[in-house]
Amino acid sequence: MTTVPLHTPPRRSLLSLDLRSVDTSLWFPIGVVIFLFAFFSLATNSFATLRNFTAVSGQAGTLLIACLGGTFVVLMGSIDLSVGAIVLLGGAAAVTLLNDTPLGFAVLPVVAVIGGILGLVNGVIYTLGRIPSFIATLGTLSVFSGIALTILDGRAIQFDLAGFEQIAIGQLIPRLPNIALCALAAWLVAVFIAARTRFGRYMYLIGGGETVARTAGIPVERYKIYAFMLSGVLAAIGAVLSVARLGAAGPSLGSDLLLNSLAAIVVGGTSLSGGVGGPHRTLIGVLIIAVLDNGLNLMGVSQYSQMVVKGVVVIAAVLVSRDRSRIAVVK
């Protein structure tokens, strides 16, 4: 006699249910963006200007690219604390290759491969070493940062390739820097991956229930490694574009990404418990963090006070995310 297991809906219905539940709550973060835009427009005359739009979009571009890979890691219920360190090491590698080799613009794919290798290191330590992702990436954060600072010798190094900066600060569309266009293109690809590919479906299933995913025959460890590799690749691409935008790589490159990337992912609505959210929401979270940063700077708020505000925002976002994930489970 054949038994039919209960409570095992098809894989597609699981994903579509998750995406529908996420989309119904998009209005809250969108409302936050609208509120912040209106508030800072009234609080300072220099916020709602085309010049400031160009500045904000350039800053948000690097953050968005760095966040997209991390979103998949969080989506499967893990965390990557080494994103900022990979950006720093990727930037150090990029400026060194630009100055000491004839690679030229080919430095972008080369550094992307380096980022993938760094992500592979994270994934292998996490899965094969059976170390919590928080601890594993906290350790590699220190290792990658130390290597990068050794390469830079603790100082900022400029690159000397003429025209390389145009891949970031050039404007194919007036008032919109190329780095923002690259970020939007990466976002569209990430959204497609999450919604239409096996990798994306597996990220939701692993985050929603790792035991169930294993029972369904999904190679969980392999896809966890893939997620960390993707995070490393995108962080490295963001590093190269950031170096092109700034004209140099220095010890402070990527220093703000540890807090900002996690804040953007969580504020956008991707739950730290996994299985809820996705890259389509990360764009909203990045807008919130970028507008908040820019507006507070224009208002003359001190850097230390801004850290307090961001911390409060992250805590509030985690509380909201936790409650939302509980509601989804009850449903």
Side-chain angles (χ1 to χ4, degrees):
M1 179 177 180
T2 303
T3 59
V4 179
L6 299 177
H7 308 298
T8 55
R11 185 181 302 166
R12 184 179 300 273
S13 63
L14 278 173
L15 177 59
S16 60
L17 176 61
D18 178 74
L19 290 179
R20 286 199 301 269
S21 65
V22 169
D23 289 340
T24 57
S25 59
L26 270 175
W27 293 112
F28 176 74
I30 291 176
V32 173
V33 173
I34 295 173
F35 168 78
L36 290 175
F37 186 88
F39 174 78
F40 289 125
S41 297
L42 295 174
T44 174
N45 294 330
S46 55
F47 179 80
T49 61
L50 290 175
R51 180 178 182 180
N52 191 54
F53 168 78
T54 302
V56 172
S57 58
Q59 294 167 0
T62 302
L63 178 59
L64 178 58
I65 294 174
C67 285
L68 289 174
T71 299
F72 286 102
V73 174
V74 173
L75 191 59
M76 69 176 184
S78 302
I79 194 169
D80 188 356
L81 298 180
S82 67
V83 171
I86 293 178
V87 169
L88 176 59
L89 182 51
V95 75
T96 301
L97 292 171
L98 285 171
N99 291 339
D100 299 339
T101 70
L103 280 175
F105 286 86
V107 72
L108 181 58
V110 171
V111 174
V113 171
I114 294 175
I117 294 173
L118 298 178
L120 175 62
V121 172
N122 280 335
V124 168
I125 294 174
Y126 167 48
T127 57
L128 300 185
R130 300 188 181 279
I131 300 174
S133 58
F134 179 90
I135 301 299
T137 56
L138 183 63
T140 56
L141 178 154
S142 180
V143 173
F144 298 160
S145 296
I147 296 174
L149 293 174
T150 300
I151 294 173
L152 296 173
D153 196 23
R155 57 190 175 87
I157 301 178
Q158 297 180 330
F159 62 83
D160 56 8
L161 179 62
F164 186 74
E165 69 280 356
Q166 292 302 312
I167 66 173
I169 64 175
Q171 298 181 8
L172 293 177
I173 299 177
R175 298 293 182 178
L176 187 66
N178 291 340
I179 189 173
L181 288 179
C182 293
L184 289 175
W187 175 73
L188 290 173
V189 172
V191 170
F192 176 82
I193 290 173
R196 299 294 182 181
T197 68
R198 177 180 299 178
F199 173 81
R201 292 194 298 268
Y202 284 179
M203 290 298 100
Y204 281 101
L205 291 174
I206 293 172
E210 186 173 322
T211 302
V212 175
R214 292 182 186 278
T215 304
I218 296 174
V220 173
E221 280 75 17
R222 189 202 312 169
Y223 277 87
K224 284 183 175 181
I225 292 175
Y226 290 165
F228 277 99
M229 290 179 66
L230 179 60
S231 179
V233 168
L234 289 174
I237 292 174
V240 176
L241 294 176
S242 182
V243 167
R245 175 173 171 263
L246 299 173
S252 62
L253 183 66
S255 60
D256 60 341
L257 286 178
L258 174 58
L259 176 59
N260 283 357
S261 61
L262 287 177
I265 293 170
V266 175
V267 169
T270 299
S271 174
L272 288 174
S273 60
V276 177
H280 63 293
R281 300 195 61 121
T282 299
L283 175 62
I284 307 299
V286 168
L287 289 176
I288 292 175
I289 299 300
V291 170
L292 188 63
D293 270 345
N294 180 260
L296 292 176
N297 284 331
L298 292 178
M299 290 180 63
V301 178
S302 70
Q303 181 180 0
Y304 309 115
S305 297
Q306 291 185 37
M307 294 173 65
V308 174
V309 173
K310 287 182 186 178
V312 172
V313 169
V314 172
I315 293 172
V318 171
L319 290 175
V320 172
S321 174
R322 182 188 63 184
D323 291 340
R324 184 186 299 121
S325 64
R326 287 178 177 176
I327 292 173
V329 171
V330 172
K331 289 181 178 180

